[in-house]
Amino acid sequence: MQAEVNSILKKSLQKAREHNRTGNVGKAYAYYTIVVELCPAKRSEIEETFTDVLCEWGIQLAEDNRFSDVIRCYKHSLDIYPNNARMLNNFAAHLLRNNNPIRALQYLRRALKVDPNFLPAERNLQNAYSMAVDRWHFTMLNDKCRNNAFEKAICKRINQGYDTVLDVGTGTGLLSLYAKAAGATKVYACECSEIMALIAKNVFESNNATDIKLIPKLSFDLKIPIDISERVKLIVTETFDAGLFGELVVPSLINIHTKILDTDGMVIPMGATVYIAAIECEHIRYRSSVVFDRIKDKSTLNFNKVSILSDDEYYDTENLEKVQINYVTEPQVLFNVDFNNLLQLQEFCKDGIKQMLQTKCRYDGILDGLVAWFKLYLDEEITLDSSDGKTCWQLAVFPAIPIICHESDILTIKAETLKSKLKCSYSASNAQSSKDCKFLYRLPKEVIVFLNDFNYIELLTEIGRYQENKEMKYILDTSPFPIYGLTLLKEYKDSKILYYKTDNETLRFLIEQVAQDNGLREKVHIISNYDEIPYSLDSILVHNFDIKGELKDDRDNYLFFRYLLKKPNGVLLPEKNFLMGQLVYSEDLPNMVYVQDVNLQKSPNNPICLDISSDNKDNLQNNTTNKVNKSTNYIVAEHINNYKINQIFDLNSSLYSCEIMSEVQTLIEINEMETTEAIVNFGQINSIKKKTLPNALICWYRVQLSPHHIHDTEKNGSFMNHTAIVFEDELKNIILKDKEVKIKVHQMKGLIKITVLNL
């Protein structure tokens, strides 16, 4: 019997290796599985190879939309190798790609328990937290002005008799707590997100509010009497985005009016006014359209016939408080909406044009687009204004191709709703396009910000013009737009082929158009996969930067690039990448990553509002006192902060303010092939002389294309934003002990983990 088993093992192992060698990973996985099941003694010997095969097979299954088979293979493999960190992490990554962050979390936590320094799992854990709980929850809950305004409005309505409440999209349940504390006789809270409903449940339990009925459903699915015993008198909702309607608040309220709200009931907020204005703003211009006039100063390429605009279907969101913005037109009321008027809501919900208005330009300038904001009327007196830069809402930005305008030019602004979302555009009399455009391409933002990083473009074109190695026949450019490769083609007449990989049809048409206009059309080969390249390459530009501020895990491609590169004279750019850092103090950054309960509490100057007549004032005095003195130290932070992250990506100057607290330091050299560590000493920081102490480390990259061509990405207008690591008390505790501030930087495949050393 054992002889037969040994024979099966030998043949299975032989076939597994053979199939793996020929790329048939599905069969290789099946045979390796036979081996590890029949012979536990061999498991450790082939674990790494088994994991490689499983991961490759999982990718192929996912590409074929066989996700149930992905789950089956990983679960079975983890029964065999329960402590394999890479296997646990890769399974979690598949779950994340299939929008299942809750399930992914358990596998990521297991992976980090096995190996706390396995940074791919650490990064995916941060991704899972961000997918499970949208990051705007943190800034919203830390918006004390918003919280106090909603609390006051809820108190007033409940004490006017609107004392049965439905909180639509309750999130953490904060508005429901306000309603209960104000004396509502019955509070219902609905929430469709599984993880937010769990958080709300824990919040209600911690605040002795389990009598609030939590309904884990969309408001559209609520039914009387199954979910709610009878129609309620008050609807409370805060389901608004920068463009007011992006979270489908109007169709939601129509359904609520029809099925849930009492005929004499009320909605908080009562309504809103949306405003709009045309603006001139370089920050918006360089993030939404390509300024080819500036590029032509840096590049020899011909871009005369093309324009590029962002492919955002509706609008982007920006906090423009900290950047230069000029209002070319006076703000105009776009429309008013009454959330208590069902007929108006039904009319507004229909797709189509909602408003057309005309306004004059105030001065000669450049029109970069439109911005919209709103005033939210919680009741007759309490208003929130999203334009002041101090609320959790940003501005809605509708970018356009920049055009030159003149004083008194007439702008016609059109607003419409598509799929219940707002879309705005304009046309201008006598306005002139800033360039003679024949072809307009709508492309991802990464292409736009890359081409608008004029310093980087200048470095790339300079290297392309003056390469010391004149033999540049075969070139690969992996950047969002191959300006380096196109420059080489144009500068070196003996160059033969530029390879560029993209599956974006619009981008392919653009590159072909630019290549044709520069007489290079036959030399540009657009590919779908790097293994289509048949030649050894003379020059490769590796662009593995994510515009949000981190490096992509491009290790496998990097190995392949090394293989393709002709030696010894081949050129591989960049030569080196360094992570840079600087300590700062910021009030804004902590609000993005964790909630502070102090921002949720009742203001001592705003006691519960009661509308009390003189006749019964004395009789209600005791009740009022009891309500005001009732504990309102809401416990929310500890529950949502279970999903906090400490590293913030996609930062630019418009998002936060900070005070510089140290010199710039080189944190570590990035090595995509190895795991490395470094200790960085920022020295002592005198706590007596400083009014504030650092609470964050901002990070960016120094890209060394060559010894004489270096680019720092911390600059405004860079092709990538920067990141920040937020520390709660770690830095403060060390500084107050008069110790040197030292941080440990752990780097793995371009991923970074930064911790404060407490020595």
Side-chain angles (χ1 to χ4, degrees), residues 218-273:
L218 277 167
S219 62
F220 293 95
D221 299 330
L222 297 179
K223 291 182 173 59
I224 294 176
I226 298 171
D227 302 303
I228 298 174
S229 58
E230 58 187 356
R231 286 180 176 259
V232 299
K233 299 176 184 177
L234 182 64
I235 298 296
V236 177
T237 188
E238 205 283 67
T239 49
F240 306 101
D241 72 342
L244 191 66
F245 307 111
E247 295 187 37
L248 305 181
V249 65
V250 171
S252 172
L253 284 176
I254 290 172
N255 179 72
I256 290 295
H257 271 285
T258 306
K259 299 178 179 178
I260 306 296
L261 185 62
D262 189 84
T263 53
D264 295 321
M266 289 288 291
V267 176
I268 295 177
M270 290 177 58
T273 299

Side-chain angles (χ1 to χ4, degrees), residues 16-29:
R17 288 169 175 164
E18 181 181 329
H19 285 303
N20 189 24
R21 188 167 51 252
T22 58
N24 193 339
V25 291
K27 288 188 175 180
Y29 172 75

